[in-house]
Amino acid sequence: MKNILFLASPGAGKGTQSEILAKNFNLIHLSSGHLLRNEVEANTELGREVKNIMANGLLVADEIIIKLIKIQINENPNTNGFIFDGFPRTARQAAALDEILAEHNCPLNLVIILEITDEEIMKRLLKRAEIEGRHDDDGEVIKARISIYKQQTQPLIDYYNGQGKTAIIDGAQEIETVAYEINNLISKL
Ligand code: AMP
């Protein structure tokens, strides 16, 4: 089983690269943002609870997202592995993920950090707003999301460096180049 985690700012290309990787290596792409957006669209109780938080670019409570991810992991015991995209975003989530994966005897194999500048992120997310019309791809909300990433999620790089699992890739390169470099890394696992 191969478990891969993307750690990068919103707009760095986690979603795009996760999709490519999921196809190439037959892995399950677990996008926390996608799981939450599904709840909002289906207008479930949970969806109603997180809708405004998401629209403002804030993080939903750790317990909520940990529970959603845990269900997905437990429901797919025979998979080749998971790609975690957008989760974990806090120290508590990272610790929870390690615990859940330890219960399944399949720890994270690799943490891919996609490096990219704030200017490039802003440019990409504003463009995505035009194409996909996501409510949280708006100028001020993007700034909030970048700032929360720096405060809460970026410190996880040290956590995973401590586990010796990180690899850095230049996320500003063409999609195909990034995918090629990631493929090389995974093939060596
Ligand atoms: P994303 O599609 O990953 O950018 O996520 C969209 C929004 O969903 C975020 O801005 C948060 O409001 C929420 N979200 C997604 N993943 C998480 C997470 N791991 N922890 C807390 N909130 C999350």
Side-chain angles (χ1 to χ4, degrees):
M1 193 161 172
K2 283 177 180 169
N3 289 318
I4 319 292
L5 162 57
F6 278 100
L7 198 53
S9 162
K14 297 190 295 290
T16 306
Q17 294 300 332
S18 295
E19 276 172 28
I20 297 173
L21 203 56
K23 277 201 199 105
N24 285 353
F25 292 90
N26 193 19
L27 304 170
I28 294 179
H29 175 196
L30 276 189
S31 156
S32 50
H34 189 74
L35 291 173
L36 290 166
R37 277 188 292 280
N38 282 348
E39 297 286 332
V40 173
E41 264 160 45
N43 196 22
T44 61
E45 197 182 334
L46 193 151
R48 288 193 293 276
E49 198 181 325
V50 299
K51 189 174 177 180
N52 281 338
I53 299 172
M54 291 176 72
N56 288 308
L58 306 174
L59 294 186
V60 309
D62 286 332
E63 310 81 67
I64 292 181
I65 192 66
I66 289 169
K67 200 166 147 194
L68 279 183
I69 293 284
K70 193 168 181 174
I71 291 170
Q72 296 294 321
I73 295 174
N74 290 344
E75 277 180 355
N76 293 285
N78 299 319
T79 177
N80 282 335
F82 296 97
I83 302 169
F84 297 96
D85 160 16
F87 175 92
R89 266 175 154 95
T90 64
R92 170 128 181 259
Q93 293 178 19
L97 180 61
D98 277 349
E99 272 171 36
I100 301 166
L101 292 179
E103 281 166 20
H104 292 264
N105 287 319
C106 54
L108 278 175
N109 299 87
L110 181 66
V111 176
I112 300 171
I113 297 160
L114 297 176
E115 277 194 338
I116 185 164
T117 63
D118 290 357
E119 293 72 38
E120 183 64 22
I121 289 166
M122 200 58 146
K123 221 165 69 189
R124 286 189 185 184
L125 290 180
L126 289 172
K127 194 163 151 205
R128 186 168 81 184
E130 282 171 26
I131 300 167
E132 295 179 17
R134 263 180 60 168
H135 300 304
D136 57 352
D137 282 344
D138 146 279
E140 285 310 306
V141 178
I142 293 173
K143 279 190 198 146
R145 287 162 63 209
I146 295 175
S147 144
I148 288 178
Y149 170 76
K150 289 193 172 153
Q151 283 165 29
Q152 309 238 40
T153 311
Q154 214 168 35
L156 298 184
I157 294 177
D158 282 341
Y159 177 76
Y160 290 117
N161 274 340
Q163 296 185 357
K165 289 184 177 163
T166 51
I168 297 176
I169 294 210
D170 175 3
Q173 304 176 101
E174 293 296 322
I175 290 175
E176 295 74 19
T177 313
V178 175
Y180 175 79
E181 293 189 0
I182 292 174
N183 262 29
N184 281 347
L185 285 175
I186 311 280
S187 303
K188 285 185 207 137
L189 287 178

